[in-house]
Amino acid sequence: MARLSEAQIQQELSQLPHWRREGEAIVREVRCADFKEALLLINAVGHFAEKANHHPEIHNVYRHVTFRLSTHDAGGLTEKDFALARQIDALLE
Amino acid sequence: MARLSEAQIQQELSQLPHWRREGEAIVREVRCADFKEALLLINAVGHFAEKANHHPEIHNVYRHVTFRLSTHDAGGLTEKDFALARQIDALLE
């Protein structure tokens, strides 16, 4: 899985308004209705992560969940990160 | 729920060797067998957290999970934190 070029990253990000760039990662913060919903979201994202064998960094404080995506093996952002970002967005539509 | 005194905190911590103090919180880092086990652990802890209406800060990277406990309403550590810490430990025995 090849690291994306800066132009490719900007192109991908332009289609993902809920995500922001943080160095070699992209980040989305979500405010759920409550902790139970946050846990359901984490589990659903975990399902996609396991299927793709590509795991986000997950941070949870009560109903707040932050996902941080990066491809450590590639040393930066790859198509895997944007594919998972789109799956996370689909869960939150 | 009253904030514990420093002596009480030290007494509690002396019985919880897997936990370390970090300012107004206690922290335990767990390395699970894999991501699926990490997710199972997060769910089990979430169950106890919901029952007690006392929620940890949770950080997950693949098979690594960090729990950080503090009672924000009390501005520090209370018996609620140590009760949840013991429940987390019981899941990991």
Side-chain angles (χ1 to χ4, degrees):
Chain A
M1 182 67 51
R3 205 172 149 175
L4 297 179
S5 70
E6 193 58 37
Q8 287 170 315
I9 291 168
Q10 292 307 324
Q11 169 60 20
E12 291 277 12
L13 269 180
S14 71
Q15 294 163 57
L16 295 170
H18 298 293
W19 293 80
R20 68 170 186 268
R21 179 83 175 275
E22 278 195 7
E24 298 299 336
I26 53 173
V27 176
R28 178 169 181 179
E29 294 176 29
V30 182
R31 191 176 75 167
C32 300
D34 53 27
F35 177 73
K36 282 185 187 178
E37 273 206 20
L39 208 46
L40 286 171
L41 174 63
I42 289 168
N43 279 281
V45 171
H47 173 80
F48 286 124
E50 272 294 284
K51 276 182 67 169
N53 193 27
H54 187 59
H55 299 82
E57 183 180 337
I58 302 171
H59 184 243
N60 164 245
V61 179
Y62 192 49
R63 62 173 170 159
H64 301 272
V65 186
T66 304
F67 299 103
R68 181 180 309 265
L69 312 183
S70 187
T71 305
H72 301 285
D73 293 349
L77 287 159
T78 68
E79 186 44 49
K80 277 188 187 180
D81 299 303
F82 290 100
L84 183 55
R86 285 188 287 271
Q87 287 174 315
I88 293 172
D89 283 357
L91 288 168
L92 291 163
E93 262 169 15
Chain B
M1 183 65 51
R3 204 172 151 177
L4 297 180
S5 71
E6 193 58 35
Q8 287 170 315
I9 292 169
Q10 292 307 325
Q11 168 62 19
E12 291 277 12
L13 269 179
S14 69
Q15 296 164 54
L16 296 170
H18 298 292
W19 293 81
R20 67 171 187 267
R21 178 84 175 274
E22 277 194 7
E24 299 298 335
I26 54 172
V27 176
R28 178 169 180 177
E29 295 177 28
V30 182
R31 190 176 76 168
C32 299
D34 54 27
F35 176 72
K36 282 185 186 178
E37 273 207 20
L39 208 46
L40 286 171
L41 174 63
I42 289 166
N43 279 279
V45 171
H47 173 80
F48 286 123
E50 273 294 283
K51 275 183 69 172
N53 193 28
H54 186 59
H55 299 82
E57 183 179 336
I58 301 171
H59 185 246
N60 165 245
V61 179
Y62 192 48
R63 62 173 170 158
H64 300 272
V65 185
T66 303
F67 299 102
R68 183 180 307 265
L69 313 183
S70 188
T71 306
H72 300 285
D73 292 349
L77 288 160
T78 67
E79 186 45 47
K80 277 188 186 178
D81 299 303
F82 290 99
L84 184 54
R86 285 188 287 270
Q87 287 173 316
I88 293 173
D89 283 358
L91 289 168
L92 291 163
E93 264 169 15

